[in-house]
Amino acid sequence: WDGDIQILALSADHPDELAQQLESLDGLGDWSEIRSAGWRSRWAFQPGRSWRLLLVARRGQTDWSAMLAAARKRLESCRGAGPPVGNSSGSVRAPGEKTDVFVGAASPSGKLALLFPGQGSQYVGMLRELACRFPRMHQSLALSNEFSRTGDVLLSDRIYPRSVFTDRERREHEQALRETEAAQPAIGAVSLGLLEILEDFGVRGELAGGHSFGELIALRAAGRINDRSLALLA
């Protein structure tokens, strides 16, 4: 995560408290101040509180004043609906801006389950954006490269091959990744990388399940096997 996207997370027991917290963000100026405020807010965020508000800001794209105005409008509309009786979420985009505001009310219900896919869900370039930004994904790919059985071609090169410009070459890349000896470890590598990125952000499932090969990744998510065992089994 290079910091070009910031999540500001606010929580309170009453919407008036959230409104006050929004007011405290009014004076932010440059991106470094927004980034620091984002870090402090995520550190203090308490998901169990009755009211929660998330702001998603993008460097060089977000109109900060417009986003705060959208946040106030969204919060006011939720507050006007009366006491929270369930989860309420939604987004408000400032015109022409890639900014989002999300409001949640009442206590979260249910548990978080992680469901992992099996063979057949793979595709060339899957989760490329994460591979470009997060060392965790690099580590997972490197581990899978060590144990995969894809001949002279690295598994990571099957997932992220060189650029091609014809349909025939694209089909060849898809076919190479579709082969079982590549498809299963590829799904395992990117799923493990994604799982560990989520864990770094504090997201941990209370339940885990998987389809076919995804059952192995679910075992890793449940703590029954480690990363190396997953790579060996793949």
Side-chain angles (χ1 to χ4, degrees):
W1 193 17
D2 64 2
D4 283 344
I5 295 177
Q6 285 296 318
I7 300 172
L8 291 92
L10 310 177
S11 57
D13 291 324
H14 192 277
D16 288 344
E17 295 178 57
L18 282 186
Q20 291 173 4
Q21 293 179 43
L22 275 176
E23 292 301 320
S24 71
L25 300 176
D26 242 341
L28 299 183
D30 59 26
W31 183 252
S32 63
E33 293 178 339
I34 295 174
R35 185 170 57 186
S36 296
W39 181 86
R40 291 193 299 271
S41 73
R42 294 191 300 273
W43 181 262
F45 183 71
Q46 298 179 41
R49 302 191 76 175
S50 299
W51 289 83
R52 303 167 300 280
L53 188 150
L54 303 182
L55 311 176
V56 182
R58 294 168 172 82
R59 185 175 189 174
Q61 301 179 42
T62 293
D63 182 328
W64 186 246
S65 297
M67 187 168 75
L68 290 183
R72 293 187 187 97
K73 181 179 179 180
R74 177 60 184 160
L75 183 59
E76 200 58 44
S77 67
C78 290
R79 179 164 48 182
V85 293
N87 289 330
S88 171
S89 63
S91 65
V92 174
R93 291 188 182 276
E97 298 294 333
K98 294 181 178 179
T99 54
D100 292 281
V101 176
F102 299 90
V103 176
S107 299
S109 59
K111 296 180 178 181
L112 177 63
L114 302 178
L115 182 62
F116 298 96
Q119 187 171 349
S121 61
Q122 76 283 341
Y123 60 92
V124 171
M126 53 185 173
L127 302 188
R128 183 187 298 275
E129 295 85 355
L130 298 183
C132 289
R133 290 181 180 269
F134 291 95
R136 282 289 196 178
M137 186 64 77
H138 280 260
Q139 294 166 10
S140 178
L141 291 167
L143 181 65
S144 294
N145 279 339
E146 182 180 349
F147 293 104
S148 63
R149 297 172 292 278
T150 52
D152 295 333
V153 181
L154 290 174
L155 176 66
S156 56
D157 288 337
R158 291 277 188 101
I159 306 172
Y160 310 113
R162 61 179 176 82
S163 298
V164 294
F165 304 98
T166 67
D167 290 340
R168 179 183 61 80
E169 291 174 305
R170 294 188 188 98
R171 287 194 297 270
E172 289 175 351
H173 284 171
E174 290 289 351
Q175 179 58 42
L177 186 61
R178 195 175 298 125
E179 296 172 0
T180 298
E181 66 269 18
Q184 291 189 352
I187 293 170
V190 298
S191 295
L192 175 61
L194 175 57
L195 173 65
E196 293 188 331
I197 290 169
L198 289 173
E199 289 175 347
D200 285 346
F201 278 87
V203 179
R204 290 175 174 80
E206 297 173 272
L207 304 169
H211 166 250
S212 186
F213 178 79
E215 294 176 357
L216 295 178
I217 308 161
L219 287 173
R220 159 58 184 85
R224 305 304 298 178
I225 60 175
N226 58 25
D227 294 357
R228 183 181 178 88
S229 295
L230 175 60
L232 282 168
L233 291 168

